[in-house]
Amino acid sequence: MAGDNHAVAGAALPRHIAIIMDGNGRWATKRGLPRTAGHKVGAETFRTIAYYCKDLGIKYLTVYAFSTENWKRSADEVGVIMALMQRYLLELMELMARDHFRIHFSGDLTALSPNLQKLAQKADEIARSLPDDYCMVNACVNYGGRDEILRAARKYAADCVQGTRTPQDLDDNLFSSYMDSAGIPDPELIIRPSGEIRLSNFLLWQCAYSEFYFTDVLWPDFTPAEIDRAIAAYGQRRRRFGGVTQ
Ligand code: FPP
């Protein structure tokens, strides 16, 4: 339960943590294994971290599972990642009510297999019937930050053409409601493991005031203790949102 953990006890707890699950391929290559072996262990790490964050009291966990650019990988690797997402997200969906999760998908889902699209639809239906305070796992699949902004802009423009909106109506909050993340608060903390110091097209709209935490640990080696360290670092930050510290 939140607060039982000594490492994070007393630290400000972000409402929303977002993670770029990076380093699966390098983890496997270092061990002389095929890249897909890294994704298999990475999927287990996803489950461990999702349950850990939920138990800490984190209300939203966004994970970058597959980017709009990841289709450039071999068909074999893409197939394994898709199968893992299907398996782990289906499992979580079946346990949503029991374990107090809600699953949401972000990204352009039209390019996904019919099975994954059905899963996303069903997950949304079930999630809508569950209490708002259940931890939401937001899986970004075929996701790109620019693509999300473009799709939102197109939808808004279409509403203007229909006459239900005008260009003058548009402000931050209204535009946010056109994003895949509608209704989800912006992440206070974005974590990227694997030593890469970049955002790679992740949550470009939502990260305006996020704090960033980078670690060299590769995603398959990522443990709950890493979450504790990230939250402790977050607790040390002074968030001024463009203002001055009182
Ligand atoms: C990035 O590491 C990881 C991915 C592109 C795939 C992540 C997918 C999973 C962990 C599968 C399960 C997901 C869910 C939501 C259940 P990389 O391959 O880019 O690593 P590298 O930079 O070392 O090559």
Side-chain angles (χ1 to χ4, degrees):
M1 293 301 292
D4 288 352
N5 184 303
H6 299 299
V8 295
L13 203 61
R15 210 166 24 150
H16 182 177
I17 293 181
I19 306 181
I20 300 177
M21 303 189 292
D22 194 20
N24 294 347
R26 277 165 284 164
W27 183 92
T29 306
K30 266 179 30 182
R31 286 164 176 74
L33 298 169
R35 294 176 55 81
T36 48
H39 296 312
K40 284 177 192 154
V41 180
E44 288 288 336
T45 304
F46 158 76
R47 179 164 52 195
T48 305
I49 295 302
Y51 275 86
Y52 185 69
C53 285
K54 194 240 338 188
D55 289 345
L56 280 181
I58 304 296
K59 291 297 171 204
Y60 300 88
L61 174 70
T62 293
V63 290
Y64 205 178
F66 195 86
S67 78
T68 44
E69 288 72 38
N70 286 152
W71 298 105
K72 294 175 196 156
R73 299 180 177 209
S74 73
D76 177 47
E77 184 170 343
V78 170
V80 168
I81 295 173
M82 291 294 165
L84 286 167
M85 285 190 307
Q86 167 98 19
R87 177 175 149 208
Y88 281 79
L89 293 172
L90 179 65
E91 177 198 274
L92 200 60
M93 185 181 84
E94 284 170 348
L95 297 174
M96 279 202 290
R98 188 195 81 180
D99 290 349
H100 298 195
F101 280 108
R102 293 175 296 153
I103 300 183
H104 176 74
F105 281 69
S106 285
D108 179 0
L109 308 184
T110 58
L112 303 182
S113 68
N115 275 344
L116 259 173
Q117 291 190 47
K118 258 186 249 149
L119 201 161
Q121 216 171 38
K122 183 95 194 290
D124 259 350
E125 269 166 40
I126 301 175
R128 270 198 292 274
S129 69
L130 295 172
D132 284 351
D133 65 341
Y134 281 12
C135 174
M136 176 175 281
V137 173
N138 177 30
C140 295
V141 184
N142 192 28
Y143 176 87
R146 287 186 174 183
D147 181 65
E148 183 188 22
I149 293 168
L150 284 173
R151 285 185 288 104
R154 278 190 212 111
K155 272 187 267 172
Y156 194 80
D159 282 354
C160 289
V161 170
Q162 289 286 316
T164 53
R165 297 278 184 206
T166 70
Q168 290 72 28
D169 290 339
L170 193 57
D171 62 14
D172 270 29
N173 282 337
L174 185 55
F175 196 60
S176 293
S177 74
Y178 279 76
M179 305 290 279
D180 299 335
S181 57
I184 302 176
D186 291 343
E188 291 92 348
L189 176 62
I190 297 183
I191 300 174
R192 180 163 195 163
S194 95
E196 307 290 0
I197 317 288
R198 58 174 170 265
L199 208 45
S200 300
N201 206 7
F202 188 45
L203 303 182
L204 297 184
W205 172 260
Q206 298 86 347
C207 75
Y209 284 102
S210 302
E211 298 293 332
F212 291 87
Y213 180 83
F214 297 100
T215 165
D216 288 339
V217 172
L218 302 173
W219 178 248
D221 288 331
F222 197 94
T223 58
E226 292 296 326
I227 291 287
D228 293 349
R229 280 190 267 279
I231 292 175
Y234 168 79
Q236 299 298 311
R237 309 278 174 89
R238 293 289 157 261
R239 305 188 77 214
R240 293 186 295 278
F241 301 98
V244 289
T245 312
Q246 295 304 309

